[in-house]
Amino acid sequence: MHAFVPTSHMPERGFPDGWNQGRQFVYDEDLPGFLDTKGSAPDQTRTVILLREGNHRVKDIWLTSVDSLREYKPVVAAIQPLVSLEELSLGNGETTSFYETSGSRKGYVKGSEKCRERLFMSWWAFDWRVGEDKKLGNDKNDGILFYTSLKPWDRETSDMRDFAGFLRYWKWKP
C-alpha cells in the first residue's frame, strides 16, 4: 500500500475512482488524502512533513502558515540531484556512495537489508531482497527494477522508474 497525497494542483479528473480526499490509513499511519493549497500564499505557507522517530516513515503531512513555525527550529531539506547520493562527504575530504557499488547488492542502499521481510515475504514474493531500499534509476534502462507491487506479474508495470506507468498502475489518470 502506498500513500498518495495530491494537492489542489491535481485536476480531480486525474484521481482514481472513489478516491477519499479525507484521511487514508497506510501502514498504521493516519495521513491526509488531499491537501488544499487553494488560497494559500506560497510565500506564507509551508508543507510540514512529520516523520516517525527512528525511521523514514511519514507520520503526517499538513499545510501551515510560516508564522506558526516561528517557535520551531526549521530543518530545511536542500533539494539536490539524485546523483549527489553517490558522492556523500565523509567530512575528511573523502566521499562515499549511499549505495553499494559492487557485488550482488550493487545499487541497493547500504545497510538496508531487511531480515524479517526476507524471512516472512521473500518466499511468496519471489524476491530475496524484498523490502530493501534501492537506487531509483532515471528510466527502465537505469538501475534495479523499482517495483511497487509485490505481485511478481505486476513488477514491470508498477516500476516507479516509468512514473507515468507507475501512476497508471495505481489507477491515477492523465
Side-chain angles (χ1 to χ4, degrees), residues 23-158:
R23 302 295 290 182
Q24 57 182 312
F25 296 91
V26 180
Y27 295 115
D28 295 325
E29 302 297 350
D30 179 12
L31 301 169
F34 179 77
L35 289 176
D36 187 1
T37 58
K38 287 183 182 170
S40 300
D43 60 332
Q44 293 299 313
T45 305
R46 295 292 180 266
T47 303
V48 178
I49 302 172
L50 180 62
L51 300 179
R52 180 150 308 278
E53 188 173 333
N55 63 39
H56 59 275
R57 184 172 286 175
V58 175
K59 183 176 178 178
D60 202 359
I61 304 172
W62 68 93
L63 299 174
T64 193
S65 70
V66 171
D67 290 338
S68 71
L69 296 173
R70 294 197 194 286
E71 65 186 83
Y72 298 98
K73 180 182 177 192
V75 177
V76 178
I79 298 175
Q80 300 287 329
L82 189 59
V83 72
S84 68
L85 290 173
E86 295 177 37
E87 291 189 11
L88 298 172
S89 173
L90 292 174
N92 60 1
E94 295 182 36
T95 61
T96 189
S97 178
F98 189 62
Y99 312 103
E100 297 290 350
T101 57
S102 63
S104 65
R105 294 199 73 249
K106 182 178 180 181
Y108 285 88
V109 173
K110 292 177 179 176
S112 69
E113 294 90 346
K114 302 284 193 318
C115 296
R116 288 188 181 138
E117 281 88 341
R118 182 172 291 162
L119 178 66
F120 295 116
M121 297 170 61
S122 66
W123 61 273
W124 61 264
F126 300 111
D127 182 4
W128 182 249
R129 302 202 186 287
V130 67
E132 293 185 20
D133 298 327
K134 59 191 99 171
K135 178 182 174 184
L136 175 62
N138 292 318
D139 56 40
K140 287 193 172 199
N141 298 315
D142 181 21
I144 304 164
L145 182 68
F146 206 96
Y147 66 83
T148 60
S149 171
L150 288 176
K151 299 173 188 172
W153 55 88
D154 283 345
R155 291 206 177 127
E156 287 286 331
T157 55
S158 74

